mmCIF file with all atom_site columns, all heavy atoms in Angstrom:
data_model
loop_
_atom_site.group_PDB
_atom_site.id
_atom_site.type_symbol
_atom_site.label_atom_id
_atom_site.label_alt_id
_atom_site.label_comp_id
_atom_site.label_asym_id
_atom_site.label_entity_id
_atom_site.label_seq_id
_atom_site.pdbx_PDB_ins_code
_atom_site.Cartn_x
_atom_site.Cartn_y
_atom_site.Cartn_z
_atom_site.occupancy
_atom_site.B_iso_or_equiv
_atom_site.pdbx_formal_charge
_atom_site.auth_seq_id
_atom_site.auth_comp_id
_atom_site.auth_asym_id
_atom_site.auth_atom_id
_atom_site.pdbx_PDB_model_num
ATOM 1   N N   . GLN A 1 34 ? 95.927  83.064  98.958  1.00 97.00 ? 322 GLN A N   1
ATOM 2   C CA  . GLN A 1 34 ? 95.433  81.987  98.100  1.00 97.00 ? 322 GLN A CA  1
ATOM 3   C C   . GLN A 1 34 ? 95.297  82.445  96.652  1.00 97.00 ? 322 GLN A C   1
ATOM 4   O O   . GLN A 1 34 ? 95.638  81.708  95.729  1.00 97.00 ? 322 GLN A O   1
ATOM 5   C CB  . GLN A 1 34 ? 94.085  81.491  98.609  1.00 97.00 ? 322 GLN A CB  1
ATOM 6   C CG  . GLN A 1 34 ? 94.172  80.716  99.892  1.00 97.00 ? 322 GLN A CG  1
ATOM 7   C CD  . GLN A 1 34 ? 92.808  80.220  100.336 1.00 97.00 ? 322 GLN A CD  1
ATOM 8   O OE1 . GLN A 1 34 ? 91.839  80.974  100.344 1.00 97.00 ? 322 GLN A OE1 1
ATOM 9   N NE2 . GLN A 1 34 ? 92.739  78.953  100.684 1.00 97.00 ? 322 GLN A NE2 1
ATOM 10  N N   . GLU A 1 35 ? 94.789  83.655  96.436  1.00 97.00 ? 323 GLU A N   1
ATOM 11  C CA  . GLU A 1 35 ? 94.598  84.160  95.076  1.00 97.00 ? 323 GLU A CA  1
ATOM 12  C C   . GLU A 1 35 ? 95.933  84.378  94.375  1.00 97.00 ? 323 GLU A C   1
ATOM 13  O O   . GLU A 1 35 ? 96.072  84.097  93.186  1.00 97.00 ? 323 GLU A O   1
ATOM 14  C CB  . GLU A 1 35 ? 93.773  85.449  95.097  1.00 97.00 ? 323 GLU A CB  1
ATOM 15  C CG  . GLU A 1 35 ? 93.472  86.012  93.738  1.00 97.00 ? 323 GLU A CG  1
ATOM 16  C CD  . GLU A 1 35 ? 92.636  85.108  92.842  1.00 97.00 ? 323 GLU A CD  1
ATOM 17  O OE1 . GLU A 1 35 ? 92.065  84.085  93.313  1.00 97.00 ? 323 GLU A OE1 1
ATOM 18  O OE2 . GLU A 1 35 ? 92.545  85.409  91.633  1.00 97.00 ? 323 GLU A OE2 1
ATOM 19  N N   . VAL A 1 36 ? 96.933  84.876  95.097  1.00 97.00 ? 324 VAL A N   1
ATOM 20  C CA  . VAL A 1 36 ? 98.264  85.050  94.506  1.00 97.00 ? 324 VAL A CA  1
ATOM 21  C C   . VAL A 1 36 ? 98.823  83.701  94.080  1.00 97.00 ? 324 VAL A C   1
ATOM 22  O O   . VAL A 1 36 ? 99.344  83.557  92.961  1.00 97.00 ? 324 VAL A O   1
ATOM 23  C CB  . VAL A 1 36 ? 99.211  85.772  95.489  1.00 97.00 ? 324 VAL A CB  1
ATOM 24  C CG1 . VAL A 1 36 ? 100.662 85.658  95.042  1.00 97.00 ? 324 VAL A CG1 1
ATOM 25  C CG2 . VAL A 1 36 ? 98.800  87.234  95.645  1.00 97.00 ? 324 VAL A CG2 1
ATOM 26  N N   . ALA A 1 37 ? 98.701  82.704  94.926  1.00 97.00 ? 325 ALA A N   1
ATOM 27  C CA  . ALA A 1 37 ? 99.191  81.361  94.569  1.00 97.00 ? 325 ALA A CA  1
ATOM 28  C C   . ALA A 1 37 ? 98.432  80.815  93.361  1.00 97.00 ? 325 ALA A C   1
ATOM 29  O O   . ALA A 1 37 ? 99.032  80.215  92.461  1.00 97.00 ? 325 ALA A O   1
ATOM 30  C CB  . ALA A 1 37 ? 99.055  80.417  95.762  1.00 97.00 ? 325 ALA A CB  1
ATOM 31  N N   . ARG A 1 38 ? 97.107  81.039  93.314  1.00 97.00 ? 326 ARG A N   1
ATOM 32  C CA  . ARG A 1 38 ? 96.303  80.552  92.186  1.00 97.00 ? 326 ARG A CA  1
ATOM 33  C C   . ARG A 1 38 ? 96.692  81.248  90.894  1.00 97.00 ? 326 ARG A C   1
ATOM 34  O O   . ARG A 1 38 ? 96.942  80.605  89.879  1.00 97.00 ? 326 ARG A O   1
ATOM 35  C CB  . ARG A 1 38 ? 94.813  80.770  92.457  1.00 97.00 ? 326 ARG A CB  1
ATOM 36  C CG  . ARG A 1 38 ? 93.904  80.139  91.391  1.00 97.00 ? 326 ARG A CG  1
ATOM 37  C CD  . ARG A 1 38 ? 92.475  80.629  91.472  1.00 97.00 ? 326 ARG A CD  1
ATOM 38  N NE  . ARG A 1 38 ? 92.332  82.019  91.082  1.00 97.00 ? 326 ARG A NE  1
ATOM 39  C CZ  . ARG A 1 38 ? 92.373  82.470  89.819  1.00 97.00 ? 326 ARG A CZ  1
ATOM 40  N NH1 . ARG A 1 38 ? 92.560  81.653  88.822  1.00 97.00 ? 326 ARG A NH1 1
ATOM 41  N NH2 . ARG A 1 38 ? 92.234  83.759  89.567  1.00 97.00 ? 326 ARG A NH2 1
ATOM 42  N N   . GLN A 1 39 ? 96.770  82.583  90.930  1.00 96.00 ? 327 GLN A N   1
ATOM 43  C CA  . GLN A 1 39 ? 97.077  83.338  89.716  1.00 96.00 ? 327 GLN A CA  1
ATOM 44  C C   . GLN A 1 39 ? 98.481  83.026  89.185  1.00 96.00 ? 327 GLN A C   1
ATOM 45  O O   . GLN A 1 39 ? 98.696  83.053  87.979  1.00 96.00 ? 327 GLN A O   1
ATOM 46  C CB  . GLN A 1 39 ? 96.948  84.846  89.969  1.00 96.00 ? 327 GLN A CB  1
ATOM 47  C CG  . GLN A 1 39 ? 95.533  85.322  90.104  1.00 96.00 ? 327 GLN A CG  1
ATOM 48  C CD  . GLN A 1 39 ? 95.447  86.820  90.340  1.00 96.00 ? 327 GLN A CD  1
ATOM 49  O OE1 . GLN A 1 39 ? 96.445  87.523  90.458  1.00 96.00 ? 327 GLN A OE1 1
ATOM 50  N NE2 . GLN A 1 39 ? 94.228  87.316  90.407  1.00 96.00 ? 327 GLN A NE2 1
ATOM 51  N N   . SER A 1 40 ? 99.407  82.764  90.084  1.00 97.00 ? 328 SER A N   1
ATOM 52  C CA  . SER A 1 40 ? 100.781 82.477  89.655  1.00 97.00 ? 328 SER A CA  1
ATOM 53  C C   . SER A 1 40 ? 101.019 80.978  89.462  1.00 97.00 ? 328 SER A C   1
ATOM 54  O O   . SER A 1 40 ? 102.155 80.569  89.230  1.00 97.00 ? 328 SER A O   1
ATOM 55  C CB  . SER A 1 40 ? 101.780 83.023  90.680  1.00 97.00 ? 328 SER A CB  1
ATOM 56  O OG  . SER A 1 40 ? 101.714 82.299  91.891  1.00 97.00 ? 328 SER A OG  1
ATOM 57  N N   . GLU A 1 41 ? 99.947  80.199  89.542  1.00 97.00 ? 329 GLU A N   1
ATOM 58  C CA  . GLU A 1 41 ? 100.030 78.739  89.418  1.00 97.00 ? 329 GLU A CA  1
ATOM 59  C C   . GLU A 1 41 ? 101.059 78.158  90.387  1.00 97.00 ? 329 GLU A C   1
ATOM 60  O O   . GLU A 1 41 ? 101.824 77.258  90.048  1.00 97.00 ? 329 GLU A O   1
ATOM 61  C CB  . GLU A 1 41 ? 100.327 78.343  87.978  1.00 97.00 ? 329 GLU A CB  1
ATOM 62  C CG  . GLU A 1 41 ? 99.215  78.745  87.024  1.00 97.00 ? 329 GLU A CG  1
ATOM 63  C CD  . GLU A 1 41 ? 99.492  78.426  85.576  1.00 97.00 ? 329 GLU A CD  1
ATOM 64  O OE1 . GLU A 1 41 ? 100.681 78.246  85.188  1.00 97.00 ? 329 GLU A OE1 1
ATOM 65  O OE2 . GLU A 1 41 ? 98.513  78.352  84.819  1.00 97.00 ? 329 GLU A OE2 1
ATOM 66  N N   . GLY A 1 42 ? 101.084 78.717  91.599  1.00 96.00 ? 330 GLY A N   1
ATOM 67  C CA  . GLY A 1 42 ? 101.960 78.215  92.646  1.00 96.00 ? 330 GLY A CA  1
ATOM 68  C C   . GLY A 1 42 ? 103.399 78.670  92.578  1.00 96.00 ? 330 GLY A C   1
ATOM 69  O O   . GLY A 1 42 ? 104.213 78.311  93.424  1.00 96.00 ? 330 GLY A O   1
ATOM 70  N N   . ARG A 1 43 ? 103.745 79.482  91.575  1.00 97.00 ? 331 ARG A N   1
ATOM 71  C CA  . ARG A 1 43 ? 105.137 79.920  91.423  1.00 97.00 ? 331 ARG A CA  1
ATOM 72  C C   . ARG A 1 43 ? 105.502 81.033  92.396  1.00 97.00 ? 331 ARG A C   1
ATOM 73  O O   . ARG A 1 43 ? 106.677 81.255  92.671  1.00 97.00 ? 331 ARG A O   1
ATOM 74  C CB  . ARG A 1 43 ? 105.407 80.357  89.994  1.00 97.00 ? 331 ARG A CB  1
ATOM 75  C CG  . ARG A 1 43 ? 105.418 79.193  89.008  1.00 97.00 ? 331 ARG A CG  1
ATOM 76  C CD  . ARG A 1 43 ? 105.812 79.646  87.627  1.00 97.00 ? 331 ARG A CD  1
ATOM 77  N NE  . ARG A 1 43 ? 104.847 80.588  87.096  1.00 97.00 ? 331 ARG A NE  1
ATOM 78  C CZ  . ARG A 1 43 ? 103.912 80.299  86.204  1.00 97.00 ? 331 ARG A CZ  1
ATOM 79  N NH1 . ARG A 1 43 ? 103.827 79.081  85.731  1.00 97.00 ? 331 ARG A NH1 1
ATOM 80  N NH2 . ARG A 1 43 ? 103.082 81.213  85.779  1.00 97.00 ? 331 ARG A NH2 1
ATOM 81  N N   . TYR A 1 44 ? 104.509 81.772  92.879  1.00 96.00 ? 332 TYR A N   1
ATOM 82  C CA  . TYR A 1 44 ? 104.773 82.861  93.819  1.00 96.00 ? 332 TYR A CA  1
ATOM 83  C C   . TYR A 1 44 ? 103.853 82.686  95.012  1.00 96.00 ? 332 TYR A C   1
ATOM 84  O O   . TYR A 1 44 ? 102.643 82.621  94.858  1.00 96.00 ? 332 TYR A O   1
ATOM 85  C CB  . TYR A 1 44 ? 104.534 84.226  93.153  1.00 96.00 ? 332 TYR A CB  1
ATOM 86  C CG  . TYR A 1 44 ? 105.083 85.374  93.953  1.00 96.00 ? 332 TYR A CG  1
ATOM 87  C CD1 . TYR A 1 44 ? 106.407 85.760  93.812  1.00 96.00 ? 332 TYR A CD1 1
ATOM 88  C CD2 . TYR A 1 44 ? 104.292 86.051  94.871  1.00 96.00 ? 332 TYR A CD2 1
ATOM 89  C CE1 . TYR A 1 44 ? 106.923 86.799  94.554  1.00 96.00 ? 332 TYR A CE1 1
ATOM 90  C CE2 . TYR A 1 44 ? 104.801 87.085  95.621  1.00 96.00 ? 332 TYR A CE2 1
ATOM 91  C CZ  . TYR A 1 44 ? 106.118 87.458  95.456  1.00 96.00 ? 332 TYR A CZ  1
ATOM 92  O OH  . TYR A 1 44 ? 106.628 88.483  96.205  1.00 96.00 ? 332 TYR A OH  1
ATOM 93  N N   . LYS A 1 45 ? 104.431 82.590  96.185  1.00 93.00 ? 333 LYS A N   1
ATOM 94  C CA  . LYS A 1 45 ? 103.653 82.424  97.406  1.00 93.00 ? 333 LYS A CA  1
ATOM 95  C C   . LYS A 1 45 ? 104.023 83.533  98.373  1.00 93.00 ? 333 LYS A C   1
ATOM 96  O O   . LYS A 1 45 ? 105.203 83.808  98.589  1.00 93.00 ? 333 LYS A O   1
ATOM 97  C CB  . LYS A 1 45 ? 103.915 81.065  98.041  1.00 93.00 ? 333 LYS A CB  1
ATOM 98  C CG  . LYS A 1 45 ? 103.435 79.917  97.182  1.00 93.00 ? 333 LYS A CG  1
ATOM 99  C CD  . LYS A 1 45 ? 103.690 78.589  97.841  1.00 93.00 ? 333 LYS A CD  1
ATOM 100 C CE  . LYS A 1 45 ? 103.253 77.482  96.904  1.00 93.00 ? 333 LYS A CE  1
ATOM 101 N NZ  . LYS A 1 45 ? 103.536 76.163  97.438  1.00 93.00 ? 333 LYS A NZ  1
ATOM 102 N N   . LEU A 1 46 ? 103.011 84.157  98.930  1.00 95.00 ? 334 LEU A N   1
ATOM 103 C CA  . LEU A 1 46 ? 103.217 85.200  99.931  1.00 95.00 ? 334 LEU A CA  1
ATOM 104 C C   . LEU A 1 46 ? 103.094 84.600  101.316 1.00 95.00 ? 334 LEU A C   1
ATOM 105 O O   . LEU A 1 46 ? 102.103 83.931  101.613 1.00 95.00 ? 334 LEU A O   1
ATOM 106 C CB  . LEU A 1 46 ? 102.130 86.278  99.804  1.00 95.00 ? 334 LEU A CB  1
ATOM 107 C CG  . LEU A 1 46 ? 102.219 87.265  98.675  1.00 95.00 ? 334 LEU A CG  1
ATOM 108 C CD1 . LEU A 1 46 ? 100.956 88.110  98.616  1.00 95.00 ? 334 LEU A CD1 1
ATOM 109 C CD2 . LEU A 1 46 ? 103.424 88.154  98.842  1.00 95.00 ? 334 LEU A CD2 1
ATOM 110 N N   . GLY A 1 47 ? 104.057 84.852  102.161 1.00 95.00 ? 335 GLY A N   1
ATOM 111 C CA  . GLY A 1 47 ? 103.932 84.492  103.570 1.00 95.00 ? 335 GLY A CA  1
ATOM 112 C C   . GLY A 1 47 ? 103.211 85.621  104.296 1.00 95.00 ? 335 GLY A C   1
ATOM 113 O O   . GLY A 1 47 ? 103.102 86.745  103.788 1.00 95.00 ? 335 GLY A O   1
ATOM 114 N N   . PRO A 1 48 ? 102.724 85.356  105.495 1.00 96.00 ? 336 PRO A N   1
ATOM 115 C CA  . PRO A 1 48 ? 101.980 86.376  106.230 1.00 96.00 ? 336 PRO A CA  1
ATOM 116 C C   . PRO A 1 48 ? 102.798 87.636  106.513 1.00 96.00 ? 336 PRO A C   1
ATOM 117 O O   . PRO A 1 48 ? 102.279 88.751  106.419 1.00 96.00 ? 336 PRO A O   1
ATOM 118 C CB  . PRO A 1 48 ? 101.578 85.689  107.531 1.00 96.00 ? 336 PRO A CB  1
ATOM 119 C CG  . PRO A 1 48 ? 102.004 84.287  107.446 1.00 96.00 ? 336 PRO A CG  1
ATOM 120 C CD  . PRO A 1 48 ? 102.777 84.087  106.191 1.00 96.00 ? 336 PRO A CD  1
ATOM 121 N N   . GLY A 1 49 ? 104.076 87.488  106.847 1.00 96.00 ? 337 GLY A N   1
ATOM 122 C CA  . GLY A 1 49 ? 104.908 88.668  107.121 1.00 96.00 ? 337 GLY A CA  1
ATOM 123 C C   . GLY A 1 49 ? 105.044 89.556  105.904 1.00 96.00 ? 337 GLY A C   1
ATOM 124 O O   . GLY A 1 49 ? 104.878 90.782  105.981 1.00 96.00 ? 337 GLY A O   1
ATOM 125 N N   . THR A 1 50 ? 105.344 88.956  104.772 1.00 97.00 ? 338 THR A N   1
ATOM 126 C CA  . THR A 1 50 ? 105.472 89.715  103.522 1.00 97.00 ? 338 THR A CA  1
ATOM 127 C C   . THR A 1 50 ? 104.151 90.362  103.160 1.00 97.00 ? 338 THR A C   1
ATOM 128 O O   . THR A 1 50 ? 104.104 91.544  102.796 1.00 97.00 ? 338 THR A O   1
ATOM 129 C CB  . THR A 1 50 ? 105.937 88.795  102.380 1.00 97.00 ? 338 THR A CB  1
ATOM 130 O OG1 . THR A 1 50 ? 107.196 88.231  102.726 1.00 97.00 ? 338 THR A OG1 1
ATOM 131 C CG2 . THR A 1 50 ? 106.049 89.546  101.063 1.00 97.00 ? 338 THR A CG2 1
ATOM 132 N N   . LEU A 1 51 ? 103.068 89.616  103.266 1.00 97.00 ? 339 LEU A N   1
ATOM 133 C CA  . LEU A 1 51 ? 101.761 90.147  102.916 1.00 97.00 ? 339 LEU A CA  1
ATOM 134 C C   . LEU A 1 51 ? 101.409 91.350  103.778 1.00 97.00 ? 339 LEU A C   1
ATOM 135 O O   . LEU A 1 51 ? 101.091 92.424  103.261 1.00 97.00 ? 339 LEU A O   1
ATOM 136 C CB  . LEU A 1 51 ? 100.680 89.072  103.064 1.00 97.00 ? 339 LEU A CB  1
ATOM 137 C CG  . LEU A 1 51 ? 99.247  89.592  102.888 1.00 97.00 ? 339 LEU A CG  1
ATOM 138 C CD1 . LEU A 1 51 ? 99.003  90.073  101.470 1.00 97.00 ? 339 LEU A CD1 1
ATOM 139 C CD2 . LEU A 1 51 ? 98.247  88.530  103.292 1.00 97.00 ? 339 LEU A CD2 1
ATOM 140 N N   . TYR A 1 52 ? 101.465 91.198  105.091 1.00 96.00 ? 340 TYR A N   1
ATOM 141 C CA  . TYR A 1 52 ? 100.990 92.264  105.971 1.00 96.00 ? 340 TYR A CA  1
ATOM 142 C C   . TYR A 1 52 ? 101.938 93.460  106.005 1.00 96.00 ? 340 TYR A C   1
ATOM 143 O O   . TYR A 1 52 ? 101.484 94.595  106.140 1.00 96.00 ? 340 TYR A O   1
ATOM 144 C CB  . TYR A 1 52 ? 100.671 91.715  107.356 1.00 96.00 ? 340 TYR A CB  1
ATOM 145 C CG  . TYR A 1 52 ? 99.429  90.859  107.296 1.00 96.00 ? 340 TYR A CG  1
ATOM 146 C CD1 . TYR A 1 52 ? 99.500  89.480  107.409 1.00 96.00 ? 340 TYR A CD1 1
ATOM 147 C CD2 . TYR A 1 52 ? 98.184  91.424  107.060 1.00 96.00 ? 340 TYR A CD2 1
ATOM 148 C CE1 . TYR A 1 52 ? 98.356  88.690  107.315 1.00 96.00 ? 340 TYR A CE1 1
ATOM 149 C CE2 . TYR A 1 52 ? 97.037  90.643  106.956 1.00 96.00 ? 340 TYR A CE2 1
ATOM 150 C CZ  . TYR A 1 52 ? 97.137  89.281  107.090 1.00 96.00 ? 340 TYR A CZ  1
ATOM 151 O OH  . TYR A 1 52 ? 96.015  88.512  106.980 1.00 96.00 ? 340 TYR A OH  1
ATOM 152 N N   . ASP A 1 53 ? 103.245 93.251  105.845 1.00 97.00 ? 341 ASP A N   1
ATOM 153 C CA  . ASP A 1 53 ? 104.162 94.389  105.723 1.00 97.00 ? 341 ASP A CA  1
ATOM 154 C C   . ASP A 1 53 ? 103.835 95.196  104.471 1.00 97.00 ? 341 ASP A C   1
ATOM 155 O O   . ASP A 1 53 ? 103.789 96.426  104.500 1.00 97.00 ? 341 ASP A O   1
ATOM 156 C CB  . ASP A 1 53 ? 105.623 93.926  105.657 1.00 97.00 ? 341 ASP A CB  1
ATOM 157 C CG  . ASP A 1 53 ? 106.163 93.455  106.989 1.00 97.00 ? 341 ASP A CG  1
ATOM 158 O OD1 . ASP A 1 53 ? 105.498 93.676  108.028 1.00 97.00 ? 341 ASP A OD1 1
ATOM 159 O OD2 . ASP A 1 53 ? 107.261 92.844  106.993 1.00 97.00 ? 341 ASP A OD2 1
ATOM 160 N N   . ASN A 1 54 ? 103.611 94.493  103.361 1.00 96.00 ? 342 ASN A N   1
ATOM 161 C CA  . ASN A 1 54 ? 103.278 95.167  102.110 1.00 96.00 ? 342 ASN A CA  1
ATOM 162 C C   . ASN A 1 54 ? 101.912 95.829  102.173 1.00 96.00 ? 342 ASN A C   1
ATOM 163 O O   . ASN A 1 54 ? 101.737 96.947  101.679 1.00 96.00 ? 342 ASN A O   1
ATOM 164 C CB  . ASN A 1 54 ? 103.357 94.200  100.933 1.00 96.00 ? 342 ASN A CB  1
ATOM 165 C CG  . ASN A 1 54 ? 104.761 94.027  100.440 1.00 96.00 ? 342 ASN A CG  1
ATOM 166 O OD1 . ASN A 1 54 ? 105.253 94.831  99.658  1.00 96.00 ? 342 ASN A OD1 1
ATOM 167 N ND2 . ASN A 1 54 ? 105.448 93.006  100.932 1.00 96.00 ? 342 ASN A ND2 1
ATOM 168 N N   . LEU A 1 55 ? 100.924 95.163  102.768 1.00 95.00 ? 343 LEU A N   1
ATOM 169 C CA  . LEU A 1 55 ? 99.597  95.772  102.885 1.00 95.00 ? 343 LEU A CA  1
ATOM 170 C C   . LEU A 1 55 ? 99.650  97.050  103.707 1.00 95.00 ? 343 LEU A C   1
ATOM 171 O O   . LEU A 1 55 ? 99.005  98.043  103.359 1.00 95.00 ? 343 LEU A O   1
ATOM 172 C CB  . LEU A 1 55 ? 98.605  94.790  103.507 1.00 95.00 ? 343 LEU A CB  1
ATOM 173 C CG  . LEU A 1 55 ? 98.015  93.738  102.590 1.00 95.00 ? 343 LEU A CG  1
ATOM 174 C CD1 . LEU A 1 55 ? 97.095  92.812  103.373 1.00 95.00 ? 343 LEU A CD1 1
ATOM 175 C CD2 . LEU A 1 55 ? 97.271  94.366  101.421 1.00 95.00 ? 343 LEU A CD2 1
ATOM 176 N N   . GLN A 1 56 ? 100.418 97.054  104.795 1.00 96.00 ? 344 GLN A N   1
ATOM 177 C CA  . GLN A 1 56 ? 100.517 98.261  105.612 1.00 96.00 ? 344 GLN A CA  1
ATOM 178 C C   . GLN A 1 56 ? 101.128 99.401  104.806 1.00 96.00 ? 344 GLN A C   1
ATOM 179 O O   . GLN A 1 56 ? 100.649 100.531 104.845 1.00 96.00 ? 344 GLN A O   1
ATOM 180 C CB  . GLN A 1 56 ? 101.335 98.004  106.880 1.00 96.00 ? 344 GLN A CB  1
ATOM 181 C CG  . GLN A 1 56 ? 101.353 99.194  107.821 1.00 96.00 ? 344 GLN A CG  1
ATOM 182 C CD  . GLN A 1 56 ? 99.955  99.588  108.271 1.00 96.00 ? 344 GLN A CD  1
ATOM 183 O OE1 . GLN A 1 56 ? 99.252  98.784  108.857 1.00 96.00 ? 344 GLN A OE1 1
ATOM 184 N NE2 . GLN A 1 56 ? 99.539  100.807 107.994 1.00 96.00 ? 344 GLN A NE2 1
ATOM 185 N N   . ARG A 1 57 ? 102.187 99.111  104.069 1.00 95.00 ? 345 ARG A N   1
ATOM 186 C CA  . ARG A 1 57 ? 102.821 100.135 103.240 1.00 95.00 ? 345 ARG A CA  1
ATOM 187 C C   . ARG A 1 57 ? 101.851 100.639 102.168 1.00 95.00 ? 345 ARG A C   1
ATOM 188 O O   . ARG A 1 57 ? 101.734 101.841 101.918 1.00 95.00 ? 345 ARG A O   1
ATOM 189 C CB  . ARG A 1 57 ? 104.099 99.591  102.584 1.00 95.00 ? 345 ARG A CB  1
ATOM 190 C CG  . ARG A 1 57 ? 104.880 100.643 101.804 1.00 95.00 ? 345 ARG A CG  1
ATOM 191 C CD  . ARG A 1 57 ? 106.177 100.097 101.229 1.00 95.00 ? 345 ARG A CD  1
ATOM 192 N NE  . ARG A 1 57 ? 106.098 98.759  100.686 1.00 95.00 ? 345 ARG A NE  1
ATOM 193 C CZ  . ARG A 1 57 ? 105.536 98.457  99.517  1.00 95.00 ? 345 ARG A CZ  1
ATOM 194 N NH1 . ARG A 1 57 ? 104.984 99.384  98.782  1.00 95.00 ? 345 ARG A NH1 1
ATOM 195 N NH2 . ARG A 1 57 ? 105.518 97.209  99.092  1.00 95.00 ? 345 ARG A NH2 1
#
Side-chain angles (χ1 to χ4, degrees):
Q322 289 181 313
E323 183 62 12
V324 166
R326 187 194 69 75
Q327 287 181 357
S328 69
E329 296 178 339
R331 290 185 297 258
Y332 193 86
K333 295 181 183 177
L334 284 172
T338 300
L339 173 66
Y340 289 108
D341 286 349
N342 278 277
L343 280 178
Q344 185 59 59
R345 185 177 40 76

